[in-house]
């Protein structure tokens, strides 16, 4: 009896577990890298959706030496979605400029987390007449950063 029952129990438990796999939560907390090789670390997301972290860019529009820069953002938690939207601001520590990112945390078809984002980069200009050219727009895709140590 035991031998015939156990495969059935296995199937039953798999069926019960399956919905929780497909509803897996995409979490912002952790280390991420994007298609340009920039890295960011996001800390814990508070109950109200606030988070902070650090951003290390691989590219810069300036000739200044790149430095780690702080980021502050919020995740939308209105319906506690498994694929939440979010936004954050990076306050660049090596140039007079600011970037805002907005995006969504997705589970891709293989169950891997991916952040699809767009950004606006505001650079400082000395003259108001140069305002028209002071903002760049871009698109970045982030995946979890796995280092050899992990
Ligand atoms: C991002 O992290 C990877 C792995 O640690 C590293 O190889 C790469 O140089 C980092 N990128 C930057 C911009 O530091």
């Amino acid at each position: 009896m035991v031998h015939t029952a156990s495969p059935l129990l296995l199937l039953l438990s798999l069926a019960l577990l399956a919905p929780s796999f497909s509803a897996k939560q995409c979490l912002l907390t952790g280390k991420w890298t994007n298609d340009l090789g920039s890295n960011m670390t996001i800390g814990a997301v508070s109950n109200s959706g606030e988070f902070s972290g650090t951003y290390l860019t691989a590219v810069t529009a300036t000739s200044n030496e790149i430095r780690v820069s702080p980021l502050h953002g919020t995740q939308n938690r209105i319906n506690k979605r498994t694929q939440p939207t979010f936004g954050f601001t990076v306050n660049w520590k090596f140039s007079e400029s600011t970037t805002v990112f907005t995006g969504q945390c997705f589970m891709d078809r293989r169950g891997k987390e991916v952040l699809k984002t767009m950004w606006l980069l505001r650079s400082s200009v000395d003259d108001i007449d140069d305002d028209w050219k002071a903002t760049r727009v871009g698109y970045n895709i982030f995946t979890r950063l796995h280092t050899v140590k992990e």
Side-chain angles (χ1 to χ4, degrees), residues 66-135:
I66 291 170
R67 287 171 52 194
V68 175
S69 299
L71 68 86
H72 296 279
T74 53
Q75 173 188 319
N76 191 311
R77 302 196 67 131
I78 189 149
N79 287 318
K80 300 258 163 50
R81 294 282 189 222
T82 54
Q83 302 190 115
T85 62
F86 60 88
F88 62 85
T89 302
V90 185
N91 183 335
W92 300 111
K93 286 300 165 196
F94 55 92
S95 68
E96 180 55 60
S97 49
T98 301
T99 296
V100 290
F101 282 84
T102 186
Q104 186 166 355
C105 190
F106 284 109
M107 303 302 304
D108 73 8
R109 279 177 184 75
R110 291 182 192 153
K112 256 180 58 188
E113 290 159 305
V114 58
L115 310 181
K116 299 275 201 170
T117 70
M118 286 194 73
W119 50 261
L120 293 173
L121 163 58
R122 174 67 195 207
S123 301
S124 167
V125 285
D126 291 333
D127 198 302
I128 197 170
D129 290 343
D130 291 329
D131 178 63
W132 64 272
K133 62 175 181 182
T135 304

Side-chain angles (χ1 to χ4, degrees), residues 33 37-39 56-58 145 147:
T33 189
S38 299
N39 297 339
L56 182 56
T57 182
L145 177 64
T147 53

Side-chain angles (χ1 to χ4, degrees), residues 32-45:
W32 300 90
T33 189
N34 73 15
D35 47 302
L36 295 172
S38 299
N39 297 339
M40 69 173 171
T41 303
I42 294 180
V45 179

